[in-house]
Amino acid sequence: SNRQAQRELVSFNNDKANQGKFDFIPTEQDLREAIDKKQLILYYQPQINMKTECLHGAEVLVRWLHPEFGLIYPDKFIALAEQTGLIEQLSEEVIHLAIKQSVHWQKLNRATRLSINISAQNITSLKLPEQLRMLVKKYEIDPSMIVLELTESALMDSEVTSLDIFTRFRLKGFQLSIDDFGTGYSSLSQLHKIPFTELKIDQSFVTNMKQEKESMAIVETCIMLAHKLNMEAVAEGIEDKETWDLLSAEGCDIAQGYYIARPMPADQFDKWQFNE
Ligand code: C2E
Ligand code: MG
Ligand code: MG
Ligand code: MG
């Protein structure tokens, strides 16, 4: 069947050996078609509470299931979406799919907090906030089950009004996360202007912390900063037990990375359990 073929294609492309084989450089028209033809699909990567070792939530990561080229990763099309303005429709689609999945999991008594990546352009108008408000109402979602992730670099580029829009999300009960923290150049005063609920330490520091004392120092400082500002500290890019143990000793709250699980389609996420 078509579904079966899709699944095979996904697993084929999930195989590291097959990645990078195709040199597909999408155009604006390709991406527009992908959105219109519903070729965007969502993967979910588990996040674990380091103290309880329970599931904390999942990050929603978009993929493009191209009929010819297979699974395309966001590094191939998010920048294009941002440059062409298609990011508006793309984010709309991602949010809609994520909320429908969230409703489904809620019905199965598997309510899962979902972290959704948004771009700086998404908060230059009231379109996305309005869409989110409507969806939350329509599907009766608890907004605290939705985390909006904005990268630190997006924060730097943003206008005062964007920051204001982002703050309004918090007032409506959504959680706010500052992603890739430590790689941008936002000032601490900017950080404290927006009521972020979590701080995601950039994975470059997490990757290097076990062999490089400077990265270790940055990770420690980020965790301390998060806690002093009443935020949860999230580490992404954890690839081994040694890094997990170091982060746990530092009091990091939430863990995400290949050591725990790779991002996966919803049906796999349903069956997935930590420590099994
Ligand atoms: P991000 O938000 O920082 O997401 C984390 C990225 O790190 C994901 O890559 C994830 O698959 C990868 N990752 C997770 N654990 C590990 C690990 O242990 N080791 C390594 N090496 N990598 C790990 P992905 O899915 O390719 O996404 C890349 C970026 O694309 C994301 O970075 C985010 O900035 C952007 N993105 C993804 N989905 C969306 C979306 O729906 N909307 C927008 N605007 N951006 C998105
Ligand atoms: Mg993210
Ligand atoms: Mg990140
Ligand atoms: Mg990133």
Side-chain angles (χ1 to χ4, degrees):
S1 70
N2 192 24
R3 280 234 147 231
Q4 181 59 26
Q6 268 199 4
R7 241 190 289 279
E8 273 163 23
L9 190 55
V10 168
S11 67
F12 171 79
N13 282 289
N14 259 341
D15 184 348
K16 267 276 170 235
N18 293 315
Q19 277 178 31
K21 248 191 194 171
F22 313 105
D23 208 13
F24 172 55
I25 302 167
T27 63
E28 176 177 355
Q29 190 49 32
D30 293 330
L31 184 57
R32 193 183 305 277
E33 269 183 44
I35 301 170
D36 291 344
K37 293 183 176 163
K38 308 277 176 214
Q39 289 169 359
L40 298 185
I41 58 169
L42 301 185
Y43 270 38
Y44 299 86
Q45 188 178 29
Q47 297 178 323
I48 299 294
N49 178 313
M50 296 195 85
K51 287 175 193 91
T52 62
E53 300 202 355
C54 292
L55 185 69
H56 171 81
E59 180 169 7
V60 174
L61 296 157
V62 70
R63 272 96 182 88
W64 172 359
L65 191 57
H66 193 285
E68 192 181 337
F69 297 105
L71 204 63
I72 316 281
Y73 284 76
D75 59 337
K76 287 264 172 68
F77 60 88
I78 291 293
L80 177 68
E82 290 175 341
Q83 284 150 21
T84 56
L86 283 169
I87 193 69
E88 204 173 273
Q89 278 161 269
L90 185 146
S91 293
E92 218 170 273
E93 174 74 354
V94 167
I95 287 168
H96 200 190
L97 292 171
I99 292 210
K100 282 195 287 190
Q101 186 61 53
S102 167
V103 171
H104 180 69
W105 278 332
Q106 216 169 288
K107 282 196 187 125
L108 298 176
N109 262 323
R110 282 207 211 102
T112 305
R113 180 184 284 114
L114 293 181
S115 293
I116 303 173
N117 292 287
I118 63 169
S119 296
Q121 283 101 310
N122 290 134
I123 49 169
T124 53
S125 82
L126 285 166
K127 258 192 141 165
L128 180 126
E130 193 47 31
Q131 187 212 358
L132 261 171
R133 195 186 63 79
M134 275 165 50
L135 287 173
V136 159
K137 198 169 156 205
K138 177 174 172 196
Y139 292 107
E140 297 177 332
I141 299 266
D142 173 1
S144 73
M145 294 299 277
I146 307 280
V147 185
L148 301 171
E149 289 192 5
L150 196 67
T151 62
E152 191 191 12
S153 43
L155 184 67
M156 300 178 325
D157 303 337
S158 288
E159 307 284 324
V160 176
T161 47
S162 300
L163 304 182
D164 184 50
I165 289 172
F166 207 54
T167 301
R168 280 160 195 258
F169 281 124
R170 182 76 201 105
L171 294 172
K172 295 216 166 76
F174 294 97
Q175 311 270 332
L176 304 182
S177 173
I178 182 161
D179 201 357
D180 300 349
F181 188 78
T183 53
Y185 301 90
S186 67
S187 71
L188 294 177
S189 71
Q190 228 172 336
L191 176 63
H192 127 118
K193 266 182 218 146
I194 301 178
F196 288 105
T197 50
E198 69 170 39
L199 184 154
K200 273 185 112 162
I201 306 161
D202 189 72
Q203 62 182 66
S204 59
F205 304 119
V206 175
T207 304
N208 293 323
M209 65 186 284
K210 65 171 194 238
Q211 72 257 14
E212 203 188 84
K213 66 175 194 302
E214 291 82 3
S215 292
M216 181 72 200
I218 291 170
V219 169
E220 276 175 26
T221 308
C222 287
I223 294 170
M224 207 186 295
L225 177 66
H227 291 165
K228 294 252 178 196
L229 295 177
N230 276 319
M231 294 185 267
E232 288 190 293
V234 184
E236 64 179 342
I238 302 173
E239 293 190 354
D240 49 48
K241 184 172 187 312
E242 193 183 341
T243 305
W244 167 290
D245 289 342
L246 286 169
L247 286 159
S248 177
E250 288 301 330
C252 185
D253 303 289
I254 295 147
Q256 183 183 342
Y258 295 170
Y259 172 63
I260 299 149
R262 285 179 181 261
M264 58 188 112
D267 58 341
Q268 273 179 41
F269 190 90
D270 283 344
K271 285 173 241 141
W272 181 85
Q273 280 194 41
F274 189 44
N275 278 339
E276 268 188 17

